[in-house]
Amino acid sequence: MSLLRVLGRPMLASMFVAGGLESVRSPESVAPAAEPVVQPVTDRVAVLPDRTEDAVRLSGAVQLVGGLLLATGRMSRPAALAIAATLVPTTLAAHRFWEEEDPEQRVQQRIHFLKNLSMLGGLLIAADDTGAAPSLLWRSRHAARDLRRDAHLVQRSVRAGARPAAAAGRIRAKLPG
């Protein structure tokens, strides 16, 4: 693993480990801000908890565990996707700059919104990062190409060997017996 991955993944994960831990410990501190986003989502997704505090705690747990997995490089691709899935509603709930009346607060909320958007971009890149190893898709495409090439070579060698054998058979058939 490259030095950039060794340093970059924990740096990206640090915010989610800290924020996730805070959400697990005291979800009531962010539940009022999360309410407008959590309730419509929990109404549509039956497996999510009905109470806002429980949904915030679940989101925090996903961010905490996903952050730890991402930081350590274990299952980092699914961990990054899981964190990204929790970041979208978190951002929409916590940084609603378009609803702010105070210009200074609007600027601050827009900065935080864009910061979260940037972190989402980093998570999507991390979710696509194969750690310098070829992805399964790349490996399967190249294995299929190699098989086609090998089959073509076998076909050519069979044809190349068949011509002299056929000629020898014709000559042998003409010889007296």
Side-chain angles (χ1 to χ4, degrees), residues 28-154:
E28 60 279 346
S29 63
V30 293
E35 185 78 28
V37 173
V38 169
Q39 284 310 310
V41 172
T42 58
D43 290 344
R44 289 182 178 86
V45 183
V47 297
L48 293 176
D50 292 335
R51 291 187 49 234
T52 302
E53 290 83 7
D54 294 338
V56 168
R57 188 173 276 130
L58 175 64
S59 175
V62 170
Q63 288 185 357
L64 175 62
V65 172
L68 291 172
L69 289 172
L70 181 61
T72 60
R74 299 194 183 274
M75 295 180 19
S76 56
R77 295 176 73 191
L81 279 177
I83 297 169
T86 66
L87 186 59
V88 172
T90 300
T91 301
L92 292 175
H95 306 298
R96 303 169 74 83
F97 67 89
W98 54 91
E99 292 179 352
E100 284 295 333
E101 299 293 327
D102 180 25
E104 289 180 24
Q105 276 295 97
R106 180 179 296 216
V107 168
Q108 286 302 311
Q109 288 300 326
R110 185 175 26 231
I111 288 170
H112 288 297
F113 183 88
L114 293 173
K115 172 200 49 116
N116 282 15
L117 194 61
S118 300
M119 290 189 323
L120 179 61
L123 288 168
L124 294 177
I125 291 170
D128 190 48
D129 181 28
T130 60
S135 69
L136 291 175
L137 179 62
W138 184 91
R139 285 186 256 178
S140 64
R141 284 181 180 165
H142 279 75
R145 187 197 69 199
D146 292 346
L147 282 173
R148 282 193 301 271
R149 187 187 69 229
D150 291 348
H152 181 71
L153 289 174
V154 167

